[in-house]
Amino acid sequence: MRTQVAIIGAGPSGLLLGQLLHRAGIDAVIIERQSAERVLSRIRAGILEQTTVDTLHAAGVGERLQRESIVHDGINIVYDNQPHFIDVRALTGAVVTAYGQTEVTRDLMDARAGSGLPTHYEVEEVWLEGMTGSKAVAHFQQHGETRRMECDYIAGCDGFHGVSRRSIPEDRLREFGRAYPFGWIGVLADVPPASPHAVTYAHHARGFALCSMRSLTRSRYYVQCPSSDRVEDWSDARFWDELALRLDARTAGELITGPSIDKSIAPLRSYVAEPMRWGRLFLAGDAAHIVPPTGAKGLNLAVSDVRLLAEALIEHYRERSDAGIDSYSQRALRRVWKVERFSWWATLLLHTFPDTDDFGRRMQEAELDTLTQLESASRSFAEHYAGLAF
Ligand code: FAD
Ligand code: DHB
């Protein structure tokens, strides 16, 4: 097999890159470890920045998004039993959009299948070679057969546990990170959302809680839990009781509960690998960095990497200029670090840490007052939440 760009991973990063390249007339083949059904069964992000929505429209996959998504003008921050609305639209002129990662992925898969483009699912034993040579090669096994794909470039879009980042020699890669001493247990349920027009973030001595949604009839809720907890520790009843305890009385009173249709625990971590390019290999999305989910940035950051990478590859093939690919890592990382900072800060502000003492709690409360009462602080938050400019 031979292609121009071999894409490792059919998550949102890999599929979006494939779609943007296809529309520019560049050949790409995607290989994915899981089946398509398994990729679609992972419940993850749900809030899209305006630039993410614009990029999906530019990729030709905005039609269902336009029809089915729900626009949020702002967010609620709950603490001390009171909700505070941050009006993102009034402060920035921008909005965010509720539309699940699963739906984004499905739209991209459908577009790819509709164009007859090749995606190889359920591949195993992927290994990459030739990144610093005259051509790169992705080797893999599929249904027991060994296959070899030659290409000009490899896009490592294979998430945090993928093979791409690990193909960079240790002495060429710097890693930075934090593990947080808690996780989020998330529940998906077919009940109307508690706050259908704004995500609610709650800070409480018992721990953080979050009310989000996928549609007007499907809700997504999270509560902070110890890292050692397992899903079996959390019956639906325990989850709903704990969520209600962490919300303001009004939101808790209006909460409609029901059986969970998905329940999972996600660890929280911050992580960045530098650089995001090694020879013919480029990293994008979770393959290069992880943000804690506070602030809903993971998917949006993946999309902004992919946009930069697609532009750089298009410039290379169309204009025979390597300026974009040579500056990709540096340009992407400038943005990555700003978003890492926001997600880290929002995590420190809103969660209860095992070592949070009375002083630390008062500092969090004072910062929450500043955030909700000082317009310059609300505006800075809103600008980050709505999405930083490129
Ligand atoms: P991924 O979605 O991880 O896709 C990578 C793909 O590569 C996967 O399909 C994987 O199977 C495939 N792959 C891996 N290894 C190989 C290999 N060797 N060969 C071929 N293919 C391979 N963000 C938010 O904003 N809000 C959230 O609530 C939220 N919740 C999350 C919950 C969890 C459990 C996780 C893990 C992430 C969550 N995120 C959330 C982050 C967000 O979902 C990610 O930032 C986003 O999925 C990144 O997309 P990606 O395509 O870069 O990586
Ligand atoms: C969702 C996840 C987040 O991390 C967040 O900050 C907002 C919403 C969600 O899954 O809908």
Side-chain angles (χ1 to χ4, degrees):
M1 271 194 282
R2 153 103 210 144
T3 187
Q4 289 175 300
V5 181
I7 300 175
I8 319 298
S13 299
L15 288 165
L16 178 61
L17 181 64
Q19 181 69 6
L20 292 171
L21 294 180
H22 165 63
R23 287 171 77 87
I26 299 167
D27 248 16
V29 174
I30 303 183
I31 59 174
E32 163 61 50
R33 199 166 43 124
Q34 308 282 1
S35 65
E37 297 69 40
R38 176 84 188 90
V39 172
L40 286 173
S41 72
R42 299 183 301 220
I43 309 297
R44 292 184 175 180
I47 300 293
L48 308 183
E49 295 174 357
Q50 189 58 50
T51 49
T52 299
V53 170
D54 294 344
T55 307
L56 293 170
H57 278 292
V61 289
E63 200 236 323
R64 194 165 68 98
L65 163 69
Q66 176 82 25
R67 243 185 310 122
E68 296 183 11
S69 65
I70 291 167
V71 165
H72 285 180
D73 286 349
I75 65 150
N76 295 309
I77 296 189
V78 170
Y79 63 100
D80 203 15
N81 199 21
Q82 294 297 324
H84 303 261
F85 183 62
I86 297 191
D87 193 333
V88 173
R89 188 200 283 267
L91 289 161
T92 66
V95 292
V96 295
T97 298
Y99 191 69
Q101 177 169 332
T102 311
E103 306 313 317
V104 172
T105 308
R106 192 189 306 279
D107 293 344
L108 286 162
M109 280 181 177
D110 288 351
R112 192 165 176 84
S115 307
L117 300 171
T119 310
H120 298 277
Y121 286 97
E122 298 181 308
V123 305
E124 295 171 304
E125 308 286 337
V126 177
W127 64 279
L128 311 177
E129 144 186 80
M131 265 85 74
T132 53
S134 57
K135 63 170 184 266
V137 186
H139 301 265
F140 58 97
Q141 297 225 339
Q142 194 181 26
H143 312 310
E145 260 183 62
T146 303
R147 311 194 67 176
R148 180 177 195 280
M149 181 161 54
E150 284 186 15
C151 54
D152 301 332
Y153 296 107
I154 296 178
C157 299
D158 47 353
F160 185 64
H161 300 288
V163 69
S164 301
R165 190 181 65 252
R166 283 186 276 119
S167 308
I168 302 177
E170 264 177 40
D171 60 353
R172 294 303 180 97
L173 196 73
R174 274 194 82 184
E175 297 175 284
F176 305 82
R178 282 269 182 289
Y180 300 91
F182 41 72
W184 284 8
I185 174 152
V187 154
L188 190 70
D190 277 334
V191 290
S195 54
H197 302 295
V199 170
T200 293
Y201 292 85
H203 168 74
H204 193 280
R206 297 181 68 89
F208 170 79
L210 168 52
C211 308
S212 186
M213 59 187 286
R214 293 294 175 266
S215 70
L216 292 174
T217 54
R218 181 166 286 186
S219 299
R220 179 73 165 154
Y221 295 106
Y222 301 92
V223 300
Q224 175 187 344
C225 64
S227 308
S228 52
D229 275 14
R230 291 162 312 144
V231 170
E232 305 76 74
D233 299 329
W234 287 85
S235 65
D236 286 0
R238 180 181 172 205
F239 181 88
W240 293 119
D241 287 348
E242 190 59 42
L243 176 64
L245 284 171
R246 299 180 187 189
L247 299 172
D248 59 288
R250 185 159 168 211
T251 311
E254 289 172 358
L255 196 62
I256 301 174
T257 64
S260 62
I261 53 173
D262 186 89
K263 202 187 278 168
S264 59
I265 295 184
L268 265 70
R269 67 161 76 83
S270 299
Y271 172 87
V272 181
E274 293 185 356
M276 288 170 62
R277 176 195 183 182
W278 186 59
R280 294 179 178 275
L281 171 68
F282 298 90
L283 302 179
D286 280 16
H289 42 71
I290 297 286
V291 289
T294 334
K297 291 297 169 206
L299 173 59
N300 292 298
L301 194 53
V303 168
S304 65
D305 286 353
V306 166
R307 212 172 107 166
L308 283 175
L309 181 55
E311 283 168 8
L313 289 167
I314 292 167
E315 192 180 308
H316 168 81
Y317 285 109
R318 278 206 186 140
E319 297 165 28
R320 307 257 151 246
S321 161
D322 284 350
I325 57 180
D326 287 344
S327 60
Y328 167 71
S329 175
Q330 194 199 356
R331 289 180 67 204
L333 282 166
R334 286 298 287 265
R335 200 166 189 286
V336 165
W337 277 113
K338 285 186 274 189
V339 177
E340 287 283 346
R341 188 207 65 81
F342 176 70
S343 306
W344 162 82
W345 167 82
T347 301
L348 298 189
L349 175 67
L350 290 166
H351 290 75
T352 298
F353 284 70
D355 61 354
T356 303
D357 58 7
D358 289 347
F359 179 81
R361 221 178 315 280
R362 288 286 184 272
M363 283 293 124
Q364 283 178 315
E365 288 159 5
E367 189 153 7
L368 285 162
D369 280 346
T370 306
L371 173 62
T372 53
Q373 289 161 21
L374 190 70
E375 199 194 79
S376 56
S378 303
R379 174 168 293 116
S380 169
F381 181 93
E383 284 167 346
H384 284 83
Y385 197 76
L388 295 173
F390 273 78

mmCIF file of all heavy atoms in Angstrom, residues 63-100:
data_model
loop_
_atom_site.group_PDB
_atom_site.id
_atom_site.type_symbol
_atom_site.label_atom_id
_atom_site.label_comp_id
_atom_site.label_asym_id
_atom_site.label_seq_id
_atom_site.Cartn_x
_atom_site.Cartn_y
_atom_site.Cartn_z
ATOM 1 N N GLU A 63 -23.869 19.599 8.730
ATOM 2 C CA GLU A 63 -25.317 19.659 8.491
ATOM 3 C C GLU A 63 -26.149 19.169 9.681
ATOM 4 O O GLU A 63 -27.009 19.877 10.203
ATOM 5 C CB GLU A 63 -25.631 18.839 7.231
ATOM 6 C CG GLU A 63 -26.957 19.191 6.615
ATOM 7 C CD GLU A 63 -27.831 17.964 6.502
ATOM 8 O OE1 GLU A 63 -27.292 16.862 6.207
ATOM 9 O OE2 GLU A 63 -29.033 18.092 6.724
ATOM 10 N N ARG A 64 -25.839 17.964 10.181
ATOM 11 C CA ARG A 64 -26.602 17.430 11.323
ATOM 12 C C ARG A 64 -26.282 18.221 12.587
ATOM 13 O O ARG A 64 -27.159 18.480 13.420
ATOM 14 C CB ARG A 64 -26.278 15.940 11.519
ATOM 15 C CG ARG A 64 -27.270 15.245 12.447
ATOM 16 C CD ARG A 64 -27.157 13.740 12.331
ATOM 17 N NE ARG A 64 -25.908 13.213 12.844
ATOM 18 C CZ ARG A 64 -25.766 12.694 14.064
ATOM 19 N NH1 ARG A 64 -26.781 12.647 14.897
ATOM 20 N NH2 ARG A 64 -24.590 12.219 14.445
ATOM 21 N N LEU A 65 -25.029 18.635 12.703
ATOM 22 C CA LEU A 65 -24.599 19.471 13.825
ATOM 23 C C LEU A 65 -25.467 20.729 13.907
ATOM 24 O O LEU A 65 -25.979 21.100 14.964
ATOM 25 C CB LEU A 65 -23.112 19.813 13.632
ATOM 26 C CG LEU A 65 -22.490 20.952 14.408
ATOM 27 C CD1 LEU A 65 -22.401 20.602 15.886
ATOM 28 C CD2 LEU A 65 -21.079 21.244 13.891
ATOM 29 N N GLN A 66 -25.651 21.372 12.756
ATOM 30 C CA GLN A 66 -26.469 22.589 12.678
ATOM 31 C C GLN A 66 -27.896 22.315 13.147
ATOM 32 O O GLN A 66 -28.492 23.082 13.884
ATOM 33 C CB GLN A 66 -26.461 23.055 11.216
ATOM 34 C CG GLN A 66 -27.325 24.246 10.890
ATOM 35 C CD GLN A 66 -26.608 25.532 11.254
ATOM 36 O OE1 GLN A 66 -25.379 25.558 11.293
ATOM 37 N NE2 GLN A 66 -27.357 26.566 11.541
ATOM 38 N N ARG A 67 -28.421 21.169 12.723
ATOM 39 C CA ARG A 67 -29.820 20.826 13.003
ATOM 40 C C ARG A 67 -30.045 20.397 14.435
ATOM 41 O O ARG A 67 -31.020 20.766 15.069
ATOM 42 C CB ARG A 67 -30.219 19.661 12.084
ATOM 43 C CG ARG A 67 -31.318 19.985 11.116
ATOM 44 C CD ARG A 67 -31.768 18.772 10.320
ATOM 45 N NE ARG A 67 -30.720 18.000 9.700
ATOM 46 C CZ ARG A 67 -30.501 16.701 9.912
ATOM 47 N NH1 ARG A 67 -31.252 16.022 10.761
ATOM 48 N NH2 ARG A 67 -29.527 16.073 9.290
ATOM 49 N N GLU A 68 -29.129 19.592 14.986
ATOM 50 C CA GLU A 68 -29.429 18.913 16.247
ATOM 51 C C GLU A 68 -28.736 19.486 17.475
ATOM 52 O O GLU A 68 -29.074 19.126 18.587
ATOM 53 C CB GLU A 68 -29.066 17.414 16.116
ATOM 54 C CG GLU A 68 -29.926 16.719 15.085
ATOM 55 C CD GLU A 68 -29.641 15.223 14.989
ATOM 56 O OE1 GLU A 68 -28.923 14.674 15.846
ATOM 57 O OE2 GLU A 68 -30.139 14.619 14.019
ATOM 58 N N SER A 69 -27.734 20.355 17.268
ATOM 59 C CA SER A 69 -26.983 20.838 18.433
ATOM 60 C C SER A 69 -27.758 21.931 19.158
ATOM 61 O O SER A 69 -28.718 22.484 18.630
ATOM 62 C CB SER A 69 -25.642 21.392 17.973
ATOM 63 O OG SER A 69 -25.857 22.522 17.168
ATOM 64 N N ILE A 70 -27.310 22.224 20.367
ATOM 65 C CA ILE A 70 -27.971 23.259 21.170
ATOM 66 C C ILE A 70 -26.940 24.294 21.586
ATOM 67 O O ILE A 70 -25.873 23.952 22.116
ATOM 68 C CB ILE A 70 -28.670 22.615 22.374
ATOM 69 C CG1 ILE A 70 -29.845 21.816 21.804
ATOM 70 C CG2 ILE A 70 -29.163 23.671 23.360
ATOM 71 C CD1 ILE A 70 -30.468 20.891 22.731
ATOM 72 N N VAL A 71 -27.260 25.555 21.285
ATOM 73 C CA VAL A 71 -26.326 26.642 21.578
ATOM 74 C C VAL A 71 -26.466 27.055 23.045
ATOM 75 O O VAL A 71 -27.577 27.146 23.567
ATOM 76 C CB VAL A 71 -26.616 27.833 20.624
ATOM 77 C CG1 VAL A 71 -25.941 29.097 21.102
ATOM 78 C CG2 VAL A 71 -26.158 27.484 19.207
ATOM 79 N N HIS A 72 -25.312 27.240 23.697
ATOM 80 C CA HIS A 72 -25.293 27.739 25.080
ATOM 81 C C HIS A 72 -24.710 29.155 25.084
ATOM 82 O O HIS A 72 -23.621 29.374 24.573
ATOM 83 C CB HIS A 72 -24.405 26.849 25.956
ATOM 84 C CG HIS A 72 -25.030 25.537 26.307
ATOM 85 N ND1 HIS A 72 -24.399 24.604 27.091
ATOM 86 C CD2 HIS A 72 -26.246 25.020 26.011
ATOM 87 C CE1 HIS A 72 -25.204 23.564 27.252
ATOM 88 N NE2 HIS A 72 -26.316 23.779 26.600
ATOM 89 N N ASP A 73 -25.443 30.081 25.701
ATOM 90 C CA ASP A 73 -24.941 31.462 25.778
ATOM 91 C C ASP A 73 -23.929 31.645 26.893
ATOM 92 O O ASP A 73 -23.236 32.659 26.931
ATOM 93 C CB ASP A 73 -26.111 32.425 26.045
ATOM 94 C CG ASP A 73 -26.967 32.613 24.809
ATOM 95 O OD1 ASP A 73 -26.540 32.171 23.718
ATOM 96 O OD2 ASP A 73 -28.053 33.191 24.943
ATOM 97 N N GLY A 74 -23.881 30.730 27.835
ATOM 98 C CA GLY A 74 -22.958 30.920 28.954
ATOM 99 C C GLY A 74 -22.884 29.667 29.807
ATOM 100 O O GLY A 74 -23.293 28.589 29.365
ATOM 101 N N ILE A 75 -22.340 29.823 31.016
ATOM 102 C CA ILE A 75 -22.262 28.688 31.944
ATOM 103 C C ILE A 75 -22.718 29.146 33.339
ATOM 104 O O ILE A 75 -22.689 30.344 33.651
ATOM 105 C CB ILE A 75 -20.831 28.129 32.067
ATOM 106 C CG1 ILE A 75 -19.886 29.156 32.697
ATOM 107 C CG2 ILE A 75 -20.278 27.656 30.764
ATOM 108 C CD1 ILE A 75 -18.778 28.485 33.459
ATOM 109 N N ASN A 76 -23.119 28.176 34.143
ATOM 110 C CA ASN A 76 -23.427 28.453 35.547
ATOM 111 C C ASN A 76 -22.289 27.952 36.414
ATOM 112 O O ASN A 76 -21.770 26.847 36.178
ATOM 113 C CB ASN A 76 -24.685 27.706 35.983
ATOM 114 C CG ASN A 76 -25.919 28.190 35.258
ATOM 115 O OD1 ASN A 76 -26.182 29.387 35.209
ATOM 116 N ND2 ASN A 76 -26.658 27.259 34.672
ATOM 117 N N ILE A 77 -21.914 28.770 37.398
ATOM 118 C CA ILE A 77 -20.971 28.290 38.410
ATOM 119 C C ILE A 77 -21.708 28.310 39.743
ATOM 120 O O ILE A 77 -22.254 29.343 40.149
ATOM 121 C CB ILE A 77 -19.707 29.173 38.465
ATOM 122 C CG1 ILE A 77 -18.966 29.072 37.129
ATOM 123 C CG2 ILE A 77 -18.808 28.741 39.626
ATOM 124 C CD1 ILE A 77 -17.606 29.712 37.102
ATOM 125 N N VAL A 78 -21.768 27.150 40.382
ATOM 126 C CA VAL A 78 -22.476 27.035 41.669
ATOM 127 C C VAL A 78 -21.462 26.899 42.789
ATOM 128 O O VAL A 78 -20.553 26.065 42.700
ATOM 129 C CB VAL A 78 -23.399 25.783 41.668
ATOM 130 C CG1 VAL A 78 -23.941 25.504 43.065
ATOM 131 C CG2 VAL A 78 -24.542 25.937 40.679
ATOM 132 N N TYR A 79 -21.582 27.727 43.819
ATOM 133 C CA TYR A 79 -20.827 27.506 45.056
ATOM 134 C C TYR A 79 -21.596 28.180 46.177
ATOM 135 O O TYR A 79 -22.411 29.069 45.921
ATOM 136 C CB TYR A 79 -19.377 28.028 44.960
ATOM 137 C CG TYR A 79 -19.225 29.518 44.756
ATOM 138 C CD1 TYR A 79 -18.929 30.361 45.816
ATOM 139 C CD2 TYR A 79 -19.370 30.075 43.492
ATOM 140 C CE1 TYR A 79 -18.791 31.727 45.628
ATOM 141 C CE2 TYR A 79 -19.235 31.436 43.296
ATOM 142 C CZ TYR A 79 -18.944 32.257 44.359
ATOM 143 O OH TYR A 79 -18.813 33.611 44.159
ATOM 144 N N ASP A 80 -21.362 27.747 47.375
ATOM 145 C CA ASP A 80 -22.066 28.293 48.525
ATOM 146 C C ASP A 80 -23.581 28.264 48.300
ATOM 147 O O ASP A 80 -24.291 29.210 48.652
ATOM 148 C CB ASP A 80 -21.566 29.743 48.739
ATOM 149 C CG ASP A 80 -21.790 30.188 50.175
ATOM 150 O OD1 ASP A 80 -22.052 29.307 51.020
ATOM 151 O OD2 ASP A 80 -21.735 31.403 50.430
ATOM 152 N N ASN A 81 -24.052 27.201 47.654
ATOM 153 C CA ASN A 81 -25.480 26.981 47.417
ATOM 154 C C ASN A 81 -26.139 28.025 46.496
ATOM 155 O O ASN A 81 -27.353 28.154 46.489
ATOM 156 C CB ASN A 81 -26.224 26.900 48.766
ATOM 157 C CG ASN A 81 -27.581 26.221 48.636
ATOM 158 O OD1 ASN A 81 -27.822 25.473 47.674
ATOM 159 N ND2 ASN A 81 -28.473 26.490 49.569
ATOM 160 N N GLN A 82 -25.318 28.773 45.734
ATOM 161 C CA GLN A 82 -25.882 29.797 44.840
ATOM 162 C C GLN A 82 -25.363 29.600 43.413
ATOM 163 O O GLN A 82 -24.161 29.416 43.227
ATOM 164 C CB GLN A 82 -25.412 31.200 45.268
ATOM 165 C CG GLN A 82 -25.918 31.678 46.597
ATOM 166 C CD GLN A 82 -27.434 31.807 46.612
ATOM 167 O OE1 GLN A 82 -28.043 32.188 45.610
ATOM 168 N NE2 GLN A 82 -28.043 31.445 47.721
ATOM 169 N N PRO A 83 -26.244 29.687 42.415
ATOM 170 C CA PRO A 83 -25.761 29.666 41.025
ATOM 171 C C PRO A 83 -25.366 31.080 40.567
ATOM 172 O O PRO A 83 -25.989 32.062 40.972
ATOM 173 C CB PRO A 83 -26.994 29.198 40.242
ATOM 174 C CG PRO A 83 -28.168 29.592 41.084
ATOM 175 C CD PRO A 83 -27.711 29.713 42.517
ATOM 176 N N HIS A 84 -24.307 31.155 39.753
ATOM 177 C CA HIS A 84 -23.866 32.434 39.185
ATOM 178 C C HIS A 84 -23.719 32.203 37.688
ATOM 179 O O HIS A 84 -22.996 31.295 37.276
ATOM 180 C CB HIS A 84 -22.500 32.844 39.754
ATOM 181 C CG HIS A 84 -22.489 32.937 41.249
ATOM 182 N ND1 HIS A 84 -22.604 34.127 41.922
ATOM 183 C CD2 HIS A 84 -22.404 31.973 42.196
ATOM 184 C CE1 HIS A 84 -22.575 33.898 43.232
ATOM 185 N NE2 HIS A 84 -22.460 32.595 43.416
ATOM 186 N N PHE A 85 -24.395 33.022 36.894
ATOM 187 C CA PHE A 85 -24.346 32.832 35.441
ATOM 188 C C PHE A 85 -23.222 33.685 34.845
ATOM 189 O O PHE A 85 -23.130 34.875 35.129
ATOM 190 C CB PHE A 85 -25.689 33.244 34.827
ATOM 191 C CG PHE A 85 -25.774 33.017 33.341
ATOM 192 C CD1 PHE A 85 -25.669 31.740 32.800
ATOM 193 C CD2 PHE A 85 -25.950 34.082 32.471
ATOM 194 C CE1 PHE A 85 -25.744 31.531 31.426
ATOM 195 C CE2 PHE A 85 -26.027 33.884 31.096
ATOM 196 C CZ PHE A 85 -25.923 32.601 30.575
ATOM 197 N N ILE A 86 -22.351 33.078 34.066
ATOM 198 C CA ILE A 86 -21.354 33.852 33.305
ATOM 199 C C ILE A 86 -21.846 33.895 31.860
ATOM 200 O O ILE A 86 -21.960 32.849 31.195
ATOM 201 C CB ILE A 86 -19.938 33.242 33.412
ATOM 202 C CG1 ILE A 86 -19.492 33.293 34.890
ATOM 203 C CG2 ILE A 86 -18.954 34.002 32.519
ATOM 204 C CD1 ILE A 86 -18.038 32.988 35.127
ATOM 205 N N ASP A 87 -22.164 35.114 31.426
ATOM 206 C CA ASP A 87 -22.787 35.299 30.124
ATOM 207 C C ASP A 87 -21.699 35.393 29.044
ATOM 208 O O ASP A 87 -21.214 36.466 28.712
ATOM 209 C CB ASP A 87 -23.646 36.574 30.162
ATOM 210 C CG ASP A 87 -24.571 36.673 28.962
ATOM 211 O OD1 ASP A 87 -24.225 36.099 27.907
ATOM 212 O OD2 ASP A 87 -25.618 37.325 29.082
ATOM 213 N N VAL A 88 -21.325 34.247 28.534
ATOM 214 C CA VAL A 88 -20.213 34.170 27.575
ATOM 215 C C VAL A 88 -20.553 34.973 26.309
ATOM 216 O O VAL A 88 -19.723 35.711 25.781
ATOM 217 C CB VAL A 88 -19.895 32.692 27.245
ATOM 218 C CG1 VAL A 88 -18.861 32.580 26.138
ATOM 219 C CG2 VAL A 88 -19.420 31.951 28.489
ATOM 220 N N ARG A 89 -21.784 34.885 25.860
ATOM 221 C CA ARG A 89 -22.163 35.611 24.640
ATOM 222 C C ARG A 89 -22.040 37.126 24.839
ATOM 223 O O ARG A 89 -21.448 37.821 24.022
ATOM 224 C CB ARG A 89 -23.605 35.266 24.216
ATOM 225 C CG ARG A 89 -23.952 35.849 22.847
ATOM 226 C CD ARG A 89 -25.450 35.936 22.631
ATOM 227 N NE ARG A 89 -26.077 34.667 22.316
ATOM 228 C CZ ARG A 89 -26.281 34.217 21.071
ATOM 229 N NH1 ARG A 89 -25.859 34.914 20.029
ATOM 230 N NH2 ARG A 89 -26.916 33.080 20.872
ATOM 231 N N ALA A 90 -22.553 37.630 25.974
ATOM 232 C CA ALA A 90 -22.500 39.077 26.220
ATOM 233 C C ALA A 90 -21.053 39.541 26.394
ATOM 234 O O ALA A 90 -20.680 40.631 25.960
ATOM 235 C CB ALA A 90 -23.328 39.427 27.451
ATOM 236 N N LEU A 91 -20.223 38.708 27.019
ATOM 237 C CA LEU A 91 -18.842 39.121 27.315
ATOM 238 C C LEU A 91 -17.911 38.994 26.106
ATOM 239 O O LEU A 91 -16.896 39.694 26.030
ATOM 240 C CB LEU A 91 -18.283 38.282 28.473
ATOM 241 C CG LEU A 91 -18.890 38.593 29.857
ATOM 242 C CD1 LEU A 91 -18.651 37.435 30.820
ATOM 243 C CD2 LEU A 91 -18.297 39.881 30.424
ATOM 244 N N THR A 92 -18.217 38.077 25.197
ATOM 245 C CA THR A 92 -17.265 37.810 24.103
ATOM 246 C C THR A 92 -17.890 37.879 22.711
ATOM 247 O O THR A 92 -17.162 37.899 21.718
ATOM 248 C CB THR A 92 -16.666 36.383 24.224
ATOM 249 O OG1 THR A 92 -17.725 35.438 24.005
ATOM 250 C CG2 THR A 92 -16.040 36.129 25.578
ATOM 251 N N GLY A 93 -19.202 37.834 22.632
ATOM 252 C CA GLY A 93 -19.868 37.756 21.317
ATOM 253 C C GLY A 93 -19.889 36.330 20.775
ATOM 254 O O GLY A 93 -20.456 36.085 19.711
ATOM 255 N N ALA A 94 -19.271 35.388 21.482
ATOM 256 C CA ALA A 94 -19.217 33.995 20.997
ATOM 257 C C ALA A 94 -20.090 33.097 21.882
ATOM 258 O O ALA A 94 -20.417 33.451 23.013
ATOM 259 C CB ALA A 94 -17.780 33.498 21.006
ATOM 260 N N VAL A 95 -20.437 31.936 21.351
ATOM 261 C CA VAL A 95 -21.232 30.963 22.110
ATOM 262 C C VAL A 95 -20.512 29.613 22.060
ATOM 263 O O VAL A 95 -19.556 29.449 21.296
ATOM 264 C CB VAL A 95 -22.635 30.794 21.493
ATOM 265 C CG1 VAL A 95 -23.450 32.064 21.670
ATOM 266 C CG2 VAL A 95 -22.552 30.387 20.018
ATOM 267 N N VAL A 96 -20.949 28.673 22.873
ATOM 268 C CA VAL A 96 -20.478 27.293 22.725
ATOM 269 C C VAL A 96 -21.677 26.422 22.346
ATOM 270 O O VAL A 96 -22.822 26.846 22.514
ATOM 271 C CB VAL A 96 -19.776 26.752 23.993
ATOM 272 C CG1 VAL A 96 -18.497 27.511 24.275
ATOM 273 C CG2 VAL A 96 -20.711 26.743 25.185
ATOM 274 N N THR A 97 -21.391 25.223 21.865
ATOM 275 C CA THR A 97 -22.439 24.375 21.301
ATOM 276 C C THR A 97 -22.402 22.997 21.948
ATOM 277 O O THR A 97 -21.338 22.378 22.020
ATOM 278 C CB THR A 97 -22.203 24.246 19.773
ATOM 279 O OG1 THR A 97 -22.309 25.557 19.207
ATOM 280 C CG2 THR A 97 -23.211 23.337 19.114
ATOM 281 N N ALA A 98 -23.567 22.535 22.412
ATOM 282 C CA ALA A 98 -23.651 21.188 22.991
ATOM 283 C C ALA A 98 -23.942 20.189 21.863
ATOM 284 O O ALA A 98 -25.008 20.251 21.233
ATOM 285 C CB ALA A 98 -24.746 21.145 24.058
ATOM 286 N N TYR A 99 -22.991 19.304 21.608
ATOM 287 C CA TYR A 99 -23.125 18.257 20.568
ATOM 288 C C TYR A 99 -22.055 17.224 20.888
ATOM 289 O O TYR A 99 -20.875 17.563 20.980
ATOM 290 C CB TYR A 99 -22.898 18.882 19.191
ATOM 291 C CG TYR A 99 -23.260 17.984 18.011
ATOM 292 C CD1 TYR A 99 -24.579 17.644 17.738
ATOM 293 C CD2 TYR A 99 -22.267 17.499 17.147
ATOM 294 C CE1 TYR A 99 -24.907 16.851 16.633
ATOM 295 C CE2 TYR A 99 -22.598 16.711 16.044
ATOM 296 C CZ TYR A 99 -23.922 16.393 15.789
ATOM 297 O OH TYR A 99 -24.238 15.615 14.689
ATOM 298 N N GLY A 100 -22.449 15.991 21.093
ATOM 299 C CA GLY A 100 -21.531 14.987 21.632
ATOM 300 C C GLY A 100 -20.401 14.598 20.689
ATOM 301 O O GLY A 100 -20.566 14.597 19.466
#
